[in-house]
Amino acid sequence: MRPLAWLAVTCALYAAARALHRRAPSAWLSPLLVVPAGVVLLLVATGAPYPLYMRGGGWLVRLLGPTTVAFAIPLHRHAALLRRHALELAAGIVSGSAVAVASSALLSRAVGLGPVEAASLVPRSITTPFAMIVAGALGGSPVLAAVFVILTALVGIVVGPVLVRRLRLRSPLSRGALLGMGAHGAGTATALELGAVEGVVASLVMIGAALLLLLATPALRVALHAP
């Protein structure tokens, strides 16, 4: 199969997964779960090497950057609301980012990860384009960081809605912040299904956490390589 055919197959799988998710809105049927599983099964069945797939599917990876920038549009539309709650949102971004980095470091030590793997795990709670940059700057693997980000997102979109219900979060800001911090892009998509405000807050938290981690990268590099 030609590389561009793999791009078409991926898009077709996504369209089918979206239609399935609309009919049966379950976290386990999320396109983020269904599409990668379908692609892996097709690669195994056809014996196609992953580099061949990426020659076509890589175009979708390149769209991650513009997609992240596009989140600025709803932020502009709800700027007044965000300004009113700037302090609470800033506190949530800082505390959530600190917990994410600390838990990544503790998890790395608990399972005995090497320095490259540990550096790749640190940015798991920010969106993929930023996570790959941060991981590279920390001495990790950008590709491995992308895998950790996807795994974090998968857990977030399954656990996030459950936490929203169990914690009885009624505020759109709290629901959006939880999903944006816990599952970045996938969480933002889930938050948009709850409401416009939830989606806007989730996207702000996601972008804010990514920028904060970028700024903190020099300090994190020193901490990771400290004797």
Side-chain angles (χ1 to χ4, degrees), residues 61-75:
V61 177
R62 296 185 185 96
L63 290 174
L64 285 171
T67 301
T68 303
V69 174
F71 281 116
I73 297 174
L75 292 179

Side-chain angles (χ1 to χ4, degrees), residues 145-171:
V147 173
F148 287 142
V149 168
I150 292 172
L151 292 175
T152 300
L154 293 177
V155 174
I157 62 174
V158 172
V159 176
V162 175
L163 287 176
V164 168
R165 292 193 300 271
R166 293 289 178 86
L167 297 176
R168 298 180 181 179
L169 299 179
R170 296 181 176 86
S171 166

Side-chain angles (χ1 to χ4, degrees), residues 9-219:
V9 167
T10 304
C11 292
L13 280 174
Y14 178 77
R18 284 288 294 172
L20 176 63
H21 191 249
R22 289 192 192 99
R23 289 178 176 271
S26 166
W28 297 104
L29 294 177
S30 168
L32 193 63
L33 285 170
V34 174
V35 176
V39 169
V40 169
L41 289 175
L42 285 174
L43 289 174
V44 172
T46 60
Y50 181 70
L52 173 66
Y53 170 80
M54 283 304 294
R55 283 166 57 190
W59 287 98
L60 298 174
V61 177
R62 296 185 185 96
L63 290 174
L64 285 171
T67 301
T68 303
V69 174
F71 281 116
I73 297 174
L75 292 179
H76 176 71
R77 291 174 179 168
H78 293 79
L81 173 67
L82 299 177
R83 281 195 296 268
R84 285 201 304 272
H85 299 281
L87 185 60
E88 299 99 306
L89 291 172
I93 291 170
V94 172
S95 59
S97 299
V99 169
V101 171
S103 62
S104 297
L106 290 173
L107 179 60
S108 299
R109 292 183 180 181
V111 300
L113 293 181
V116 174
E117 292 78 10
S120 305
L121 184 63
V122 167
R124 66 181 175 82
S125 290
I126 60 175
T127 188
T128 306
F130 290 91
M132 296 175 74
I133 295 171
V134 171
L138 295 177
S141 165
V143 174
L144 189 56
V147 173
F148 287 142
V149 168
I150 292 172
L151 292 175
T152 300
L154 293 177
V155 174
I157 62 174
V158 172
V159 176
V162 175
L163 287 176
V164 168
R165 292 193 300 271
R166 293 289 178 86
L167 297 176
R168 298 180 181 179
L169 299 179
R170 296 181 176 86
S171 166
L173 272 75
S174 60
R175 292 196 294 263
L178 183 147
L179 291 167
M181 190 71 244
H184 23 79
T188 299
T190 303
L192 282 167
E193 295 176 359
L194 300 178
V197 175
E198 285 90 340
V200 169
V201 172
S203 62
L204 174 66
V205 169
M206 176 187 69
I207 295 171
L211 293 175
L212 180 61
L213 203 56
L214 276 176
L215 294 173
T217 297

